[in-house]
Amino acid sequence: MKIDNSVKTTGTTSSESSGKARAGREAAAPAPAASAGTTVQLSSLSGNLAKIEATIGQTPEVDSARVSEIKQAISEGRFSVDSEKVADGLIESVRQMLAAQPRSA
């Protein structure tokens, strides 16, 4: 089987050409002016979402106290790993990944 490359390039990338096209549209059609009485109302859900995002943004990604506690336990020889719990967690995560994949026909 022979594959023919029928796509011809013009020397510009798609981002360059889309940028030129966008610039042409912007120059040809100016944005409509907003009237003095225009108002926008957002639902309370959007306000709640903004609060949640702010809270998440302030939450540290790493629990430093827990890391220090684990380091201390390791240095004292008190830290032990439950291999069965780790294996069960790995198996469950693989199950979830497989369940999330679309089935191919």
Side-chain angles (χ1 to χ4, degrees), residues 14-59:
S14 61
S15 62
E16 289 174 343
S17 60
S18 65
K20 290 178 184 176
R22 190 179 320 116
R25 284 193 305 266
E26 289 172 357
S35 65
T38 302
T39 59
V40 175
Q41 294 180 346
L42 301 175
S43 70
S44 61
L45 184 61
S46 68
N48 290 341
L49 181 60
K51 289 177 187 176
I52 291 169
E53 287 176 338
T55 302
I56 291 172
Q58 295 172 357
T59 305

Side-chain angles (χ1 to χ4, degrees), residues 8-9 16 18 23 25 32 39 43 63 67 70 73 76 81 97 102:
K8 305 284 185 209
T9 59
E16 289 174 343
S18 65
R25 284 193 305 266
T39 59
S43 70
D63 185 353
V67 170
I70 292 171
E76 294 173 358
V81 176
M97 285 189 304

Side-chain angles (χ1 to χ4, degrees), residues 39-94:
T39 59
V40 175
Q41 294 180 346
L42 301 175
S43 70
S44 61
L45 184 61
S46 68
N48 290 341
L49 181 60
K51 289 177 187 176
I52 291 169
E53 287 176 338
T55 302
I56 291 172
Q58 295 172 357
T59 305
E61 292 182 28
V62 176
D63 185 353
S64 300
R66 181 72 175 139
V67 170
S68 296
E69 182 182 323
I70 292 171
K71 281 183 178 181
Q72 184 70 29
I74 290 170
S75 67
E76 294 173 358
R78 297 181 293 112
F79 187 79
S80 63
V81 176
D82 184 353
S83 58
E84 287 186 23
K85 188 174 182 180
V86 172
D88 289 342
L90 288 171
I91 291 169
E92 181 58 31
S93 67
V94 169

